[in-house]
Amino acid sequence: MIDWQDLQVLTLLARNGSLSAAARELGVEHATIGRRIDSLEKNLGLRLVDRLPRSRPLTKDGLAVAALAQNMAQQAALIEQRSRMASAGLAGVVRVSVPPSLARACIAPKIARLNASHPDLQLVLLPGTALAALNKGEADVAIRSVRPEDDGLIRKRIGAVRFGLYGTAKFSRHPPEDWTFISYDQSLDHLPQQMWLHRIRSGRRIAFFASDLLTQQIAASNHIGAVVLPTIIGERDAVLIQLPTNEAPPVRDIWLTAYPGVKRSPVVNAVIDFLIACVEEEPLLADRT
């Protein structure tokens, strides 16, 4: 029988590159790592590391086994996650990765409803533009504005985010050729709404850069420039009005995703139903296709 801890040690050695670094991460003695590797080699009948005077690089077989073991570690995390969710009933914690604009304007205002229905269920929103890795347990459910490519995921299109160009009434009275703009930095130039902004501004000056949408919105509310916002944000800002553009704004699909094993948990299903309802009840996010 292969000892799972031996495999775990091999993955640490592969990631850290040395016995001492792997030992520090695991919190054990240097010699313990060596014994685990020796044990694994004996059980597998393979030479997994080259025992050089000052290093222990993995052999070709060692690299291959470490890669397989890394996949096993990810699956083990999913099994633990599934077990935690299944045993929780409708009392537990569910972590949801979600774009900040949807967390703020669509989901957070309706949390009271979830609390009333399931008082022992704790929803943790993880707002961010980065995609949380579901297979590493970073989140249980994800709402994304890009279609997930992992065929192992359950994915459901639940709505669409639409955008507009917004500014204050005072700002709108400036001649359009003198308009300035508010933008993400260049690292987010790949976003459809950012590409649209660059097209419609046609070389006009960007007056302010900010990496988060709330800061951009506040700057626009203070007459700094025109900003691209999701309509669910822009239409509810009492200070901003939608500005005319010569090109239709982009539309981004909203995808809800989870792994099948996690979705079989009643507590996760309760959260998924809540999230879908949050989006479907918003006219500005309605799926019109």
Side-chain angles (χ1 to χ4, degrees):
M1 293 288 293
I2 300 174
D3 190 323
W4 164 245
Q5 290 185 331
D6 293 347
L7 287 171
Q8 184 184 26
V9 165
L10 183 67
T11 63
L12 290 176
L13 180 58
R15 184 168 69 244
N16 289 282
S18 71
L19 294 179
S20 56
R24 282 194 300 271
E25 179 170 341
L26 200 57
V28 299
E29 296 294 330
H30 179 283
T32 301
I33 301 297
R35 285 196 298 270
R36 288 287 186 182
I37 297 299
D38 291 343
S39 173
L40 185 59
E41 286 183 326
K42 182 178 179 180
N43 284 330
L44 294 178
L46 294 173
R47 184 167 57 86
L48 302 175
V49 300
D50 284 326
R51 289 164 174 77
L52 302 179
R54 296 189 177 182
S55 64
R56 293 292 187 271
L58 270 63
T59 65
K60 182 177 179 180
D61 286 330
L63 292 171
V65 172
L68 293 171
Q70 179 60 38
N71 291 334
M72 291 173 63
Q74 293 175 359
Q75 293 302 312
L78 291 176
I79 291 170
E80 291 176 358
Q81 185 181 62
R82 170 72 178 93
S83 175
R84 173 172 58 84
M85 292 300 177
S87 63
L90 291 182
V93 178
V94 179
R95 294 163 296 169
V96 177
S97 171
V98 62
S101 59
L102 292 183
R104 176 159 56 100
C106 177
I107 300 172
K110 300 179 176 67
I111 293 296
R113 181 199 307 175
L114 182 67
N115 289 342
S117 300
H118 306 295
D120 295 323
L121 191 161
Q122 294 182 337
L123 175 61
V124 179
L125 292 183
L126 305 170
T129 54
L131 302 181
L134 297 181
N135 64 337
K136 294 182 180 178
E138 294 178 2
D140 304 305
V141 180
I143 294 178
R144 297 173 175 171
S145 55
V146 293
R147 185 180 186 276
E149 297 299 328
D150 187 344
D151 291 333
L153 284 169
I154 292 174
R155 49 197 171 207
K156 177 180 175 63
R157 187 177 182 276
I158 60 175
V161 177
R162 294 163 182 83
F163 295 86
L165 185 68
Y166 292 88
T168 62
K170 176 183 176 180
F171 176 84
S172 71
R173 291 192 285 271
H174 295 303
E177 60 270 21
D178 294 334
W179 285 359
T180 55
F181 294 81
I182 298 166
S183 171
Y184 289 112
D185 61 42
Q186 293 180 351
S187 67
L188 296 177
D189 276 350
H190 62 282
L191 295 177
Q193 62 267 35
Q194 178 87 333
M195 292 189 286
W196 181 66
L197 171 67
H198 289 320
R199 290 197 301 271
I200 63 174
R201 74 181 179 89
S202 300
R204 287 173 288 182
R205 186 172 70 90
I206 296 176
F208 179 64
F209 294 86
S211 61
D212 68 286
L213 205 59
L214 179 58
T215 302
Q216 292 183 25
Q217 181 184 357
I218 293 171
S221 298
N222 285 275
H223 322 293
I224 301 301
V227 65
V228 176
L229 296 173
T231 56
I232 193 173
I233 298 290
E235 295 300 317
R236 293 173 179 174
D237 190 310
V239 177
L240 300 177
I241 61 173
Q242 191 163 170
L243 304 174
T245 62
N246 57 9
E247 179 184 328
V251 177
R252 301 192 69 182
D253 293 337
I254 303 173
W255 293 89
L256 186 143
T257 67
Y259 275 101
V262 174
K263 188 179 180 299
R264 285 192 286 268
S265 163
V267 71
V268 172
N269 272 324
V271 169
I272 287 176
D273 290 344
F274 166 73
L275 295 172
I276 292 174
C278 286
V279 173
E280 291 182 344
E281 292 171 6
E282 290 290 348
L284 293 170
L285 300 176
D287 191 348
R288 301 172 189 169
T289 61

